[in-house]
Amino acid sequence: MWDLHANWRRVRGVLFSRSADEDLREAIGGHLEEAQDEYMRRGYSPVDARRAALRDFGGVTQAIEAHRDLRSLPWLEAARRDINQAVRVMSRKPAFFLATSLVLALSSAVALASFSAVHGILLRPLPYVHANRLVSIKHDVGGRQLSDVGISSGLYFHYRGNARTVEEIGSYDNRAFTLQTPEGNARLTGASVDAAFFRVLGATAVAGRLFTDEDGAPGFMNLRWTIPIVISHGLWVQRFGRDPTIEGRIVTLGDNQRVIVGVLPEGFAFPRPDTQVWMLMEMSERSAQLASSFSRRALARVRAGLSTSDVAAELNHLIGSSAGRVSGATPEAINELRISALVSPLKDEVVGDVGRVLWPLALSMSALVLMGTLNAGALFLVHAEQRRHEGLVRLAMGARPVQVRRMCLAEAAMVTLTAAAASVWFANVILQGFRSPLFELPRASELSIDWRMLVGALLLAVIQAVCLAGASARRMASGDLSCLGSGARGTDNRRAVRSGNVLLAGQIGVAVCLLVFAALMGTTYHNLTRIPLGFSPTDVVALDVTLSNRLADRHSTTFQELIDRLELLPGVQSASAVSSLPLSVTEHLFPIEPAGEPVAFKFFVPGYFETMGIAILEGSVPATRNVASDKRPVVISRTLARRLSPEKTAVGNIIPRLGRDGALLTLPNHKDGRVEAVEPFSVVAVADDVRDSSLRQAPSPIVYVPVTTPPVERSIVPTNMVVLLRTAGPPSLTVEAARREVPAVSPGLTVGQVRTLDELVARETWREASLAMALAFGATASGVLALVGIYSTVAAITRRRWHEIAIRRALGAKPAEMMAMVSLGSLRPTLLGLSLGTVGALAGTRALSSILYGIGPTDFGTYVMVLCVFLAAGALAAAVAALQATRCDPAATLRRISA
Amino acid sequence: MGNRQEVVRGTLGLIILRTLDTMGPLHGYRLARRIEQISGDRLALNQGSLYPALLKLELEGAIRAYWDASESGRRVKVYALTRRGRTRLRQETAAWRSTTDLIARFFASGETQ
C-alpha cells in the first residue's frame, strides 16, 4: 500500500518536477541561511559565514541532482519529455495537426457510428430475460398459398398443451386504439396480448402488475368485468404524470371502458418500438380451429439447451399428429392445408431485414477508416521527410534509434488520440441522426456509443499511432547525414518511392471500390424512383381518420359528409378516403376463389381514383353514394382483371364473397333470420395497377369496394380510413383547416397521423438513398484524396528528376516528352490500384447484391465506367502536376548544378 | 577535525530517525547540526547528503515534511517522525543492536585468546 503511495509521489514528482525542484531549492536556501546566521553569531563576516555554510553543505547541485534521481521514474520521465516535444512540434505545425486529426476523426466516426448501429441493432441481445432463447413462431400454409403468417387458435392451444421444447408460449397482435379524454382524443399504438405474453418476455411492472392467468380465465366475463390494459412508461409519464396510484384507473379506449392494471418499465418496446398500450385478449379454446385466421402472432421461450430447429421439428410433428386433437383437424384437412411451422429467433422478427443495409454500410465505412489511415500516413511521411534532418542530427549526436521512434510515437499518438476523442463526438452526432423517426430503424432508442465502441476507438487509435509512427520513424531515421545535402538519392530514395507507390495504389483501390458500390447503389435508387407507381403522389396529403365503433353503422354517410366538406376547403382540388394507402399494410385480405391466394380489399369513398391520379382503364366507377340496391359494384386492378379474364374485358365479372377459410360467406337474413350467401361483387371498372406492397414487388391484385349504400356487411366495415386531399399548392396550409373540419362533422371522428404521399414514397427508398449517399460521400472523399495522391506523386517525380529534365531539355527534348516522362511514373501505382479496386469491388458487391434492384453486382458497364472515369481524372491530375516539367529552364538549372 | 569519521553506509536513515525521535520535529539545518553535536563532532556529515536521505524516508512514509517558521522566523521545511517511522526505528534499532552485539562477541573472543 505504501509502495503505491511512494510510486504515486514519484509520478507526481515527475509530472510536477519543476515545482518539486523549487521546493527543494527553497528548503536548501533556508538551510544555508540558518547556517550562515550561526557562523555570523560566532563572529564570521557575512561573506565568510556564507562560504563556511556552503562548505558544510557540500555541493548544492549534486544534492539537487541526487534528490531528482531519487524522486524520478525513468520511463515516465522519458515519456514526459517525448510528450512535451510532441506538443512543441504540433504547436509549430497546427495545420498538419488539424488536417491529420480531422482526416482520421471523420473516417473513424462514420465507421464507429455504423458499427454502433450494427452492434446495437443486430448483435446486442434484446433487452428481455433469456433473450437468446426467445423465438417467433410463424407458419406457411401451402394449401392456401399463405407464407410467413401467424398462428391459428387451434395450433396455439395444441402447442401450449403438448410442446415440450418450449417453456412458455404467448400470442399477440398489433392494434391501434383511440384514447378518449376530456381534452380530446388521441390515437395510440397498441397490441392485444395474452397473459403468457409478458411471462415469455420475462417483463415486470414498474407500477401495478402485469396480466395474470386469472385475468383472462374463461367464465369470469361477467357484467362487472372490465378488460385490463397495461401501459408504456412513456404514456404513464406523458398522460398520467407518473401517478403511482395508476392501478385500477378506468380509461375509455375507443368506446369501451378499460382498466389500467400496470405500467411497463422504460425501454420496453415490443411488438413495436412505439407500442403504448397492451390490452388483454385471450383466444377462445372452445372455438379454436386448426385453420382459423392465422393473423395472430406467437412467441415462445425455448427450453435451455435446445435450438430453434429442435422446436421447429417438434411443432411440425405436432401439426402432423393434430388429427382428432384439434377441432377441424382431419387427416384430409392436414394433407390439404400443408401447414409447416417456421421458428426463428425473436430478434430476427424485431430487426427485420435492416441487416441487409447495415452490414454493407459498416463494411464500406471500414474501408473509409483504411483510407483515412493511408492518407494520414501519406501526410506523416511528408512531415517526416521535412524533419529528416533533425532525426539524422539526433542520431549523429548519439541518440539511439529507439529514442527517435519513441518521439515519432508520441507525435502520432497525440494526433490519433485527439482524432479518437473527436470521432466519438462525431459518431454520437451521427447516431442521433439514426435515432430520428425518419429512418424508422428498429431498436433505434437503444442506439448509443457504449464502452465496447469506446474501447474499439481507443484500440484503433493505438493501432493507427503505431502504424503512423512506424512509417514516420523509418523515414526520419533512414540514411545518414551525408545524403541530406544533395537531396535524397540511392536505395533509400527508391524505398521511399516504393512505399509512396504502395500507399497510392491502396488509396486508388479503396476509392475504386467505393465508387463501384456508390454507382451500383445510385443506379438502384434511380431504378426504384423510375418505377411507375400507378398513382401521382405530388401535392397529396393523407390524414388517418378513425370513426368510433359505436357509429360504424353510419360509416358511409359520415365519411361521405366529411369528404364533401373537405372538398369545399380553399386550396383543395379533390378529396377522398380509402381504407389503406398504397405502399402500406393492407388489413383486409380475403380469398376470391376457393383455395386461392387472398386479395387485398380496399374500401374507398367515390373520388378516390381522381384524387390519387389512378387511371381507369375500362368501365366507369360509381360516382354517387347510392347505387341500385341489388348490386354491389367494385373496381378491380389490371393485374386482377388479367387473372380473372385474360382474353376479354373483366367488366361484368362476378366476384364471389368468401370467408378467410375459403368457404362461401353466409350471413343471417335481417328479415327472417335465414342464413343466406352474401351478395357477390360485380366488377364495373378496371383501374390501372399501383405498387401496393412495396416498390420492389410487382403490382398486387386489388378489389376496390366503394363505401356506398347499401353497405357491405358490418364485420368488415373499416372504421379506420385515410382521408386524401389533393391540394393546389403545398399541403401544409390545408392540413390545419382539415383538422378543424373533422370533429365538426362528427364527434366520433379522430385524426391520427398526417403525412404526404411524397413522404410515403420517399420512405420506400430511404434505405437505398441513404446508402447511396453515404457511399457517394465516401467515394468522393477517397477519390479526391487518391487524385491528390497522383498529383503529389507526379510532382515529387518532377522535383526529383529536375536535373535530368534540364539536361534532356538542353539536348533538345520537347516539353510534351518531358510531361509524358514524369507522368508515366504514376502509371504503375494507378494501374495496380485500379486492379486492386476491381478485385475488391467484385468481392465486396456480394454483400450488396440482395439490396440491388435492376442491376447486377458485376454489371460490366458500371465497372468500365468507373475505371474510365478514374483513369481520365487520374490522367488529368498527373498532367496538371507534370506541367511543372515544361517550366524547367535548362540554362538556369545547369548553371546552378555547376555552381 | 582530522580524525572525523564518514557516515557508515546505510546508517544515515537510522541516525535521522533516531535524532527526530529524540528531539522531535526539526528543520534541515537544525537536524544536521544535531547529528553532528550528538556525534561529538566526530561525524564528517556532508549536510547536502541529508536531503536525498530525507526524501527517501519521506517516500517510504517514515517521516513527513511541512513548512514552518524557524526560531529566527525564517520559512523552513520541518521534518517529523510518523507512526510508521517510529515502528521502523524500533525494528532497525533492535537489528542494529543485535548486529553490533554479534560483532562485539567476535572481538571479545579474539581478545580473550
Side-chain angles (χ1 to χ4, degrees):
Chain A
M1 186 65 197
W2 200 263
D3 288 346
L4 201 67
H5 181 252
N7 276 325
W8 164 237
R9 293 201 55 157
R10 282 201 171 94
V11 170
R12 225 175 51 177
V14 173
L15 296 179
F16 306 104
S17 95
R18 193 171 293 174
S19 104
D21 273 357
E22 280 166 11
D23 212 44
L24 178 65
R25 276 179 207 283
E26 196 177 344
I28 292 175
H31 179 117
L32 291 174
E33 283 169 13
E34 288 284 325
Q36 191 180 353
D37 282 357
E38 187 160 329
Y39 274 112
M40 282 164 69
R41 280 197 295 277
R42 288 191 212 161
Y44 281 51
S45 71
V47 175
D48 288 344
R50 180 75 185 171
R51 195 174 295 139
L54 281 170
R55 187 196 57 223
D56 288 351
F57 191 85
V60 172
T61 316
Q62 286 91 325
I64 292 174
E65 283 298 328
H67 199 268
R68 204 177 275 161
D69 285 349
L70 202 62
R71 64 168 194 255
S72 77
L73 285 173
W75 61 268
L76 191 63
E77 189 68 33
R80 191 181 64 87
R81 270 200 306 272
D82 289 336
I83 291 168
N84 281 348
Q85 163 78 0
V87 170
R88 269 200 301 278
V89 169
M90 292 301 159
S91 58
R92 278 202 305 269
K93 291 188 151 189
F96 166 74
F97 176 69
L98 283 178
T100 41
S101 305
L102 204 65
V103 164
L104 290 173
L106 286 177
S107 57
S108 309
V110 180
L112 198 60
S114 311
F115 276 104
S116 289
V118 164
H119 176 255
I121 296 171
L122 303 178
L123 303 181
R124 192 156 49 183
L126 294 173
Y128 308 120
V129 178
H130 302 305
N132 57 344
R133 282 161 50 198
L134 297 178
V135 293
S136 139
I137 300 173
K138 291 182 172 182
H139 293 88
D140 279 348
V141 189
R144 286 199 199 160
Q145 281 101 36
L146 296 175
S147 63
D148 220 23
V149 290
I151 192 167
S152 67
S153 50
L155 283 177
Y156 175 75
F157 288 108
H158 187 41
Y159 294 163
R160 246 177 105 155
N162 302 300
R164 296 286 165 262
T165 51
V166 294
E167 289 175 352
E168 189 91 59
I169 179 166
S171 73
Y172 65 97
D173 201 1
N174 284 317
R175 294 277 293 271
F177 300 109
T178 305
L179 176 70
Q180 296 189 5
T181 60
E183 298 86 49
N185 297 349
R187 289 267 295 185
L188 302 178
T189 47
S192 67
V193 305
D194 59 12
F197 173 86
F198 291 119
R199 283 204 301 273
V200 173
L201 294 171
T204 47
V206 287
R209 60 176 180 85
L210 300 180
F211 303 139
T212 60
D213 280 334
E214 289 72 39
D215 280 334
F220 96 52
M221 270 179 84
N222 53 45
L223 287 175
R224 282 177 297 146
W225 191 65
T226 311
I227 295 180
I229 60 167
V230 168
I231 60 172
S232 71
H233 191 271
L235 190 69
W236 182 46
V237 173
Q238 288 156 20
R239 285 266 164 189
F240 303 101
R242 246 180 229 275
D243 179 4
T245 59
I246 188 84
E247 190 179 354
R249 170 90 70 101
I250 304 285
V251 291
T252 310
L253 279 191
D255 303 313
N256 304 299
Q257 306 268 293
R258 308 279 184 237
V259 57
I260 298 176
V261 295
V263 180
L264 280 162
E266 199 171 359
F268 187 95
F270 190 80
R272 286 168 50 107
D274 56 351
T275 305
Q276 295 164 296
V277 174
W278 290 260
M279 186 175 80
L280 180 66
M281 211 218 78
E282 295 285 353
M283 287 192 260
S284 158
E285 192 162 6
R286 261 192 304 179
S287 57
Q289 288 281 328
L290 175 70
S292 62
S293 160
F294 279 82
S295 63
R296 214 161 161 78
R297 290 150 188 248
L299 78 169
R301 191 170 62 242
V302 181
R303 270 186 206 289
L306 296 179
S307 68
T308 50
S309 48
D310 294 331
V311 181
E314 189 195 23
L315 298 188
N316 281 316
H317 174 72
L318 285 176
I319 295 168
S321 62
S322 62
R325 301 163 78 182
V326 178
S327 174
T330 58
E332 298 76 38
I334 294 169
N335 278 339
E336 192 191 324
L337 287 165
R338 298 198 309 280
I339 304 174
S340 57
L342 311 167
V343 181
S344 57
L346 190 65
K347 197 167 77 179
D348 294 355
E349 173 81 7
V350 173
V351 168
D353 64 349
V354 75
R356 291 203 325 198
V357 175
L358 281 182
W359 274 117
L361 187 73
L363 294 177
S364 313
M365 293 307 124
S366 7
L368 212 60
V369 172
L370 185 64
M371 191 82 196
T373 314
L374 285 176
N375 278 300
L379 289 170
F380 258 85
L381 277 181
V382 175
H383 171 69
E385 181 67 44
Q386 288 164 354
R387 297 187 58 215
R388 198 158 165 230
H389 186 265
E390 181 194 332
L392 292 179
V393 168
R394 276 173 187 267
L395 288 176
M397 298 288 284
R400 283 174 298 151
V402 70
Q403 286 173 309
V404 175
R405 281 202 289 274
R406 235 175 36 209
M407 191 177 77
C408 291
L409 186 64
E411 287 174 16
M414 202 175 142
V415 169
T416 57
L417 290 175
T418 310
S423 73
V424 170
W425 186 81
F426 281 136
N428 213 12
V429 173
I430 298 173
L431 280 188
Q432 273 174 14
F434 280 168
R435 281 196 286 265
S436 118
L438 173 75
F439 287 106
E440 289 189 336
L441 278 178
R443 309 181 71 188
S445 61
E446 294 174 47
L447 283 184
S448 64
I449 304 270
D450 71 351
W451 65 269
R452 291 176 194 83
M453 294 299 133
L454 291 179
V455 169
L458 196 66
L459 268 181
L460 182 65
V462 169
I463 293 169
Q464 284 171 331
V466 169
C467 293
L468 297 179
S472 195
R474 259 176 88 94
R475 191 80 204 111
M476 239 176 116
S478 63
D480 55 45
L481 277 174
S482 63
C483 67
L484 283 176
S486 54
R489 284 204 189 105
T491 52
D492 169 43
N493 185 33
R494 275 200 294 280
R495 201 184 299 151
V497 171
R498 210 165 42 234
S499 56
N501 282 351
V502 170
L503 269 182
L504 180 61
Q507 288 191 10
I508 295 173
V510 173
V512 166
C513 248
L514 288 178
L515 268 173
V516 169
F517 295 164
L520 291 175
M521 275 322 297
T523 313
T524 295
Y525 175 69
H526 179 73
N527 290 344
L528 285 175
T529 52
R530 294 285 296 264
I531 293 173
L533 297 168
F535 60 92
S536 157
T538 317
D539 291 337
V540 179
V541 65
L543 298 88
D544 286 351
V545 177
T546 306
L547 178 68
S548 167
N549 267 332
R550 75 191 137 82
L551 301 172
D553 289 340
R554 301 184 53 205
H555 177 268
S556 161
T557 46
T558 310
F559 276 100
Q560 276 289 353
E561 195 185 332
L562 176 65
I563 297 306
D564 290 347
R565 286 179 75 144
L566 292 178
E567 272 187 330
L568 297 176
L569 287 178
V572 174
Q573 289 182 334
S574 65
S576 180
V578 68
S579 55
S580 63
L581 284 174
L583 303 174
S584 308
V585 180
T586 303
E587 285 175 34
H588 305 279
L589 288 164
F590 298 97
I592 55 169
E593 294 151 324
E597 197 183 331
V599 170
F601 278 28
K602 287 184 184 246
F603 300 88
F604 69 98
V605 173
Y608 173 71
F609 296 96
E610 293 80 5
T611 309
M612 287 292 281
I614 301 172
I616 297 297
L617 305 175
E618 290 172 51
S620 62
V621 183
T624 56
R625 65 181 75 158
N626 295 312
V627 292
S629 61
D630 57 338
K631 295 261 184 184
R632 293 189 190 271
V634 289
V635 181
I636 60 172
S637 67
R638 184 160 65 165
T639 302
L640 184 57
R642 278 206 198 120
R643 198 210 282 178
L644 290 179
S645 45
E647 304 293 328
K648 53 184 179 57
T649 175
V651 173
N653 266 26
I654 296 296
I655 296 178
R657 302 293 315 283
L658 306 177
R660 288 185 204 268
D661 56 358
L664 211 57
L665 202 63
T666 53
L667 279 177
N669 191 324
H670 279 300
K671 293 170 195 159
D672 49 17
R674 270 188 310 140
V675 175
E676 287 178 352
V678 173
E679 187 77 28
F681 289 141
S682 147
V683 178
V684 293
V686 176
D688 201 0
D689 277 330
V690 293
R691 295 276 161 164
D692 201 52
S693 351
S694 83
L695 282 180
R696 288 169 184 259
Q697 283 178 16
S700 27
I702 301 170
V703 176
Y704 296 97
V705 185
V707 175
T708 51
T709 311
V712 284
E713 62 276 11
R714 168 77 174 78
S715 59
I716 63 166
V717 168
T719 47
N720 296 331
M721 296 284 280
V722 184
V723 168
L724 296 155
L725 304 174
R726 181 171 286 281
T727 59
S732 53
L733 299 172
T734 319
V735 170
E736 279 318 302
R739 270 184 189 280
R740 283 194 297 274
E741 209 63 38
V742 172
V745 173
S746 163
L749 288 173
T750 316
V751 180
Q753 197 190 0
V754 178
R755 69 266 188 217
T756 65
L757 289 198
D758 279 329
E759 286 166 0
L760 189 77
V761 175
R763 214 179 53 190
E764 279 292 300
T765 53
W766 77 262
R767 288 178 186 187
E768 290 79 5
S770 43
L771 194 54
M773 264 160 62
L775 288 170
F777 165 75
T780 312
S782 54
V784 167
L785 289 168
L787 292 180
V788 170
I790 293 178
Y791 174 90
S792 355
T793 304
V794 175
I797 294 169
T798 312
R799 273 200 305 281
R800 224 172 25 241
R801 298 178 70 176
W802 196 250
H803 298 169
E804 184 191 338
I805 292 167
I807 294 168
R808 283 178 185 266
R809 287 292 306 279
L811 292 174
K814 294 193 178 100
E817 287 171 11
M818 292 298 94
M819 276 179 70
M821 185 184 87
V822 291
S823 302
L824 283 178
S826 67
L827 190 65
R828 204 194 286 176
T830 306
L831 290 180
L832 180 64
L834 292 180
S835 331
L836 281 176
T838 311
V839 173
L842 282 171
T845 43
R846 286 173 192 282
L848 276 182
S849 58
S850 64
I851 202 174
L852 296 180
Y853 180 83
I855 190 164
T858 54
D859 181 64
F860 184 70
T862 305
Y863 280 76
V864 169
M865 183 196 74
V866 166
L867 294 180
C868 287
V869 165
F870 210 90
L871 261 183
L876 191 69
V880 172
L883 272 179
Q884 286 178 24
T886 63
R887 298 196 195 109
C888 178
D889 177 0
T893 309
L894 292 175
R895 259 202 308 279
R896 218 171 29 246
I897 296 172
S898 58
Chain B
M1 291 290 269
N3 59 351
R4 285 180 79 172
Q5 202 180 320
E6 291 289 325
V7 178
V8 178
R9 202 177 167 79
T11 57
L12 186 57
L14 182 58
I15 292 173
I16 293 172
L17 292 179
R18 176 66 187 158
T19 312
L20 290 177
D21 188 40
T22 319
M23 303 300 300
L26 290 172
H27 59 78
Y29 176 69
R30 194 57 51 216
L31 178 65
R33 283 299 299 141
R34 203 66 220 163
I35 292 171
E36 284 169 350
Q37 282 164 2
I38 293 171
S39 76
D41 281 337
R42 280 170 52 201
L43 204 58
L45 178 67
N46 192 346
Q47 293 179 2
S49 64
L50 265 188
Y51 286 88
L54 284 167
L55 176 68
K56 193 161 179 285
L57 290 172
E58 197 187 337
L59 287 174
E60 288 163 358
I63 60 168
R64 65 191 171 89
Y66 55 92
W67 289 99
D68 203 352
S70 70
E71 299 86 335
S72 54
R74 190 170 283 116
R75 193 170 121 90
V76 288
K77 201 165 205 180
V78 175
Y79 301 90
L81 205 59
T82 60
R83 188 182 297 168
R84 190 186 167 94
R86 206 155 277 131
T87 314
R88 188 172 146 180
L89 175 64
R90 262 200 312 276
Q91 289 165 349
E92 289 199 5
T93 310
W96 177 255
R97 286 207 172 118
S98 148
T99 310
T100 48
D101 278 358
L102 187 69
I103 301 292
R105 273 167 189 266
F106 277 97
F107 286 106
S109 70
E111 279 162 14
T112 51
Q113 276 172 7

